[in-house]
């Protein structure tokens, strides 16, 4: 086997050198990080040292050459080795497609660590880190933590500023609240309704389609009683139309949809058949900030046919990381209506702005 050692700043750069000299059939035998003094000894510079090789049996044999007895006997082993080399080759190609693991100055470590702890998306962390690094180079390799936070906030603001922020607009009568079971949807609706009554002096009513959980109906009835608001339970589209007629004189009507496992397509389709309010409806999707981001993405994908304008994130007080809020807003281009941080009605709900979200993300002076 032909072997050679390569040194480069990143693994993708090393891959380019290896492919150029050894071709696509090359395999990685080992790799490690090596460090050397940077400019004036201020920073350690990280490089990647890779040992690569190319098996000679991958070279094509002359067409007219007849195989020897020894070659025929080795054939089974050759097949196994070739398969292993093919697997390694695919691994090399996969590594080449990955984004480089850039090395940044120690001065940026605290902020980068915070971004990772908040579970911000890797591509956002990389973009922010690159911005900070460029700024350092333009300003004699020094940047205060305050400036780091400012630049990081400015970058995130540029990604989020086109999305709507804030709670109910009160431009539409029906507030359609979607969400899976267990996210605190009914309590969140009660908080929204209580604010509409106490702060905006609105006459409100409730419609619930959650006929699967008796506890949820009783919970909403309790809140409706406290707010002296009417409530209707609907089982089908006809019931819904009748409820809307009864509530014609009200200012705002909150629709509590059934809390189901919306990973099941059938439940989403059932909901689509029941709820078809496009002209005079604001639609919010409630998600729990304690859920895994991948699980939330599955829910969002299932609701993609609904005209969701903004997210509502619950249980912010029960998690140490809120990067998924930003990640999902950026990925799905949706705004943020509220986040909730407790069970008290109506206190523990925040109609947030972009600046408030970023302040929450960076937690003030925690860095």
């Amino acid at each position: 086997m032909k072997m050679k050692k390569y040194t480069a700043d990143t693994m993708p750069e090393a891959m380019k050198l290896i492919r150029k000299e050894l071709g696509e059939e090359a395999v990685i035998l080992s790799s490690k990080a090596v460090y050397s003094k940077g400019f004036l000894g201020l920073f350690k510079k990280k490089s990647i040292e890779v040992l690569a090789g190319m098996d000679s049996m991958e070279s094509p044999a002359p067409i007219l050459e007849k195989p020897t007895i020894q070659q025929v006997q080795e054939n089974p082993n050759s097949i196994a080795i070739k398969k292993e080399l093919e697997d390694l080759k695919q691994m090399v190609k996969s590594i080449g497609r990955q984004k480089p693991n850039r090395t940044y100055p120690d001065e940026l470590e605290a902020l980068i660590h915070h971004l990772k702890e908040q579970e911000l998306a890797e591509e956002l962390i990389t973009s922010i880190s690159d911005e900070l690094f460029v700024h350092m180079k333009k300003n004699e390799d020094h940047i205060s933590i305050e400036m780091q936070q400012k630049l990081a906030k400015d970058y995130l603001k540029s990604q989020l500023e086109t999305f709507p922020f804030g709670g109910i607009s009160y431009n539409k009568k029906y507030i359609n609240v979607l969400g899976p079971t267990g996210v605190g949807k009914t309590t969140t609706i009660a908080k929204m309704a209580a604010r509409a009554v106490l702060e905006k002096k609105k006459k409100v009513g409730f419609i619930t389609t959650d006929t699967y959980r008796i506890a949820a109906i009783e919970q909403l009835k309790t809140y409706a009683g406290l707010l002296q608001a009417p409530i209707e339970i609907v089982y089908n589209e006809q019931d819904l139309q009748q409820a809307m007629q009864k509530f014609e004189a009200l200012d705002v009507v909150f629709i509590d949809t059934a809390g189901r496992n919306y990973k099941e397509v059938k439940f989403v389709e059932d909901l689509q058949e029941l709820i078809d309010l496009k002209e005079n409806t604001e639609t919010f999707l409630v998600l729990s900030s304690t859920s895994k981001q991948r699980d939330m993405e599955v829910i969002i994908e299932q609701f993609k046919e609904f005209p969701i304008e903004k997210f509502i994130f619950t249980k912010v007080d029960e998690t140490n990381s809120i990067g998924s809020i930003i990640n999902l807003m950026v990925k799905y281009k949706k705004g943020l209506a509220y986040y909730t941080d407790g069970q008290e009605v109506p206190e523990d709900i925040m109609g947030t702005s972009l600046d408030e979200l970023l302040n929450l993300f960076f937690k003030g002076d925690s860095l």
Side-chain angles (χ1 to χ4, degrees):
M1 175 179 282
K2 179 182 178 182
M3 294 183 293
K4 186 174 179 179
K5 187 180 294 182
Y6 298 83
T7 302
D9 291 338
T10 65
M11 180 63 81
E13 291 179 11
M15 293 299 98
K16 289 181 181 179
L17 293 175
I18 293 169
R19 289 194 185 97
K20 184 177 180 180
E21 293 195 13
L22 299 183
E24 293 290 338
E25 306 300 328
V27 296
I28 301 299
L29 302 176
S30 66
S31 65
K32 64 179 180 179
V34 293
Y35 296 86
S36 61
K37 293 278 186 169
F39 180 66
L40 298 179
L42 291 177
F43 304 112
K44 289 183 178 180
K45 183 180 180 182
K46 179 182 176 182
S47 300
I48 303 296
E49 187 177 275
V50 181
L51 181 63
M54 184 178 68
D55 198 281
S56 59
M57 71 175 60
E58 292 292 324
S59 301
I63 296 177
L64 299 178
E65 183 179 345
K66 294 182 179 180
T68 64
I69 294 176
Q70 182 179 3
Q71 287 174 327
V72 173
Q73 290 175 340
E74 290 178 350
N75 208 30
N77 291 333
S78 299
I79 294 173
I81 294 173
K82 285 182 178 180
K83 184 180 184 304
E84 185 175 346
L85 289 173
E86 181 64 27
D87 291 342
L88 288 171
K89 182 177 69 175
Q90 294 302 321
M91 187 183 299
V92 171
K93 291 180 179 180
S94 175
I95 293 173
R97 289 192 294 267
Q98 295 177 5
K99 292 186 176 182
N101 292 321
R102 294 172 173 81
T103 301
Y104 299 101
D106 294 344
E107 198 167 354
L108 304 181
E109 282 188 3
L111 180 67
I112 294 175
H113 177 73
H114 177 77
L115 300 179
K116 291 180 178 179
E117 286 291 300
Q118 288 295 313
E119 298 184 9
L120 192 67
E122 188 63 37
E123 56 268 25
L124 293 176
I125 294 177
T126 299
S127 296
I128 291 172
S129 302
D130 287 348
E131 292 267 335
L132 297 176
F133 184 72
V134 169
H135 183 88
M136 287 185 67
K137 291 304 180 184
K138 290 180 179 179
N139 293 272
E140 300 180 355
D141 292 336
H142 176 71
I143 182 171
S144 67
I145 190 64
E146 293 79 15
M147 181 57 70
Q148 290 181 43
Q149 285 195 50
K150 180 184 182 303
L151 293 174
K153 283 184 179 180
D154 288 346
Y155 179 82
L156 290 177
K157 187 175 292 187
S158 72
Q159 302 299 303
L160 299 168
E161 62 187 358
T162 59
F163 307 140
F165 279 82
I168 302 169
S169 68
Y170 296 103
N171 294 326
K172 298 179 180 179
K173 180 173 181 175
Y174 297 98
I175 308 301
N176 188 23
V177 185
L178 307 172
T181 184
V183 298
K185 179 164 53 67
T186 302
T187 302
T188 300
I189 290 173
K191 293 175 182 179
M192 297 164 68
R195 287 203 165 193
V197 171
L198 298 175
E199 296 177 4
K200 302 296 183 179
K201 309 303 179 184
K202 300 292 185 180
K203 291 186 290 186
V204 306
F206 298 96
I207 293 175
T208 178
T209 69
D210 196 348
T211 58
Y212 302 94
R213 297 183 303 150
I214 296 175
I217 295 176
E218 294 304 315
Q219 183 184 21
L220 195 59
K221 282 184 176 180
T222 299
Y223 290 131
L226 292 172
L227 295 173
Q228 297 183 343
I231 179 172
E232 289 288 329
I233 303 169
V234 303
Y235 296 87
N236 51 49
E237 188 176 356
Q238 183 179 357
D239 291 342
L240 180 61
Q241 295 300 324
Q242 291 175 354
M244 293 168 63
Q245 290 176 7
K246 288 182 181 180
F247 292 164
E248 191 172 356
L250 299 181
D251 299 315
V252 183
V253 177
F254 294 88
I255 301 176
D256 184 10
T257 57
R260 304 297 296 274
N261 178 9
Y262 287 112
K263 292 180 182 179
E264 298 289 338
V265 177
K266 177 183 180 300
F267 296 143
V268 178
E269 292 175 346
D270 290 345
L271 188 59
Q272 282 179 304
E273 291 179 4
L274 179 60
I275 305 293
D276 187 21
L277 306 172
K278 298 177 181 178
E279 298 299 326
N280 200 20
T281 304
E282 272 189 282
T283 301
F284 302 97
L285 176 60
V286 182
L287 300 166
S288 171
S289 57
T290 61
S291 300
K292 295 178 182 177
Q293 180 170 323
R294 180 58 192 142
D295 291 339
M296 289 190 279
E297 289 176 353
V298 171
I299 297 298
I300 296 169
E301 291 291 342
Q302 292 288 59
F303 281 111
K304 64 183 179 181
E305 299 302 323
F306 287 83
I308 296 167
E309 299 175 18
K310 302 172 189 174
F311 293 131
I312 298 174
F313 285 91
T314 61
K315 306 182 182 182
V316 170
D317 57 315
E318 298 179 24
T319 182
N320 293 320
S321 60
I322 63 167
S324 58
I325 295 178
I326 294 175
N327 298 341
L328 294 173
M329 291 177 66
V330 171
K331 181 172 182 177
Y332 293 100
K333 295 179 171 47
K334 302 292 184 183
L336 179 64
Y338 302 98
Y339 69 83
T340 71
D341 55 0
Q343 295 297 316
E344 295 296 322
V345 178
E347 290 86 354
D348 297 332
I349 185 170
M350 302 293 294
T352 189
S353 67
L354 175 53
D355 287 334
E356 288 167 340
L357 173 64
L358 294 179
N359 287 338
L360 179 67
F361 178 78
F362 286 99
K363 295 182 179 178
D365 299 326
S366 64
L367 292 174

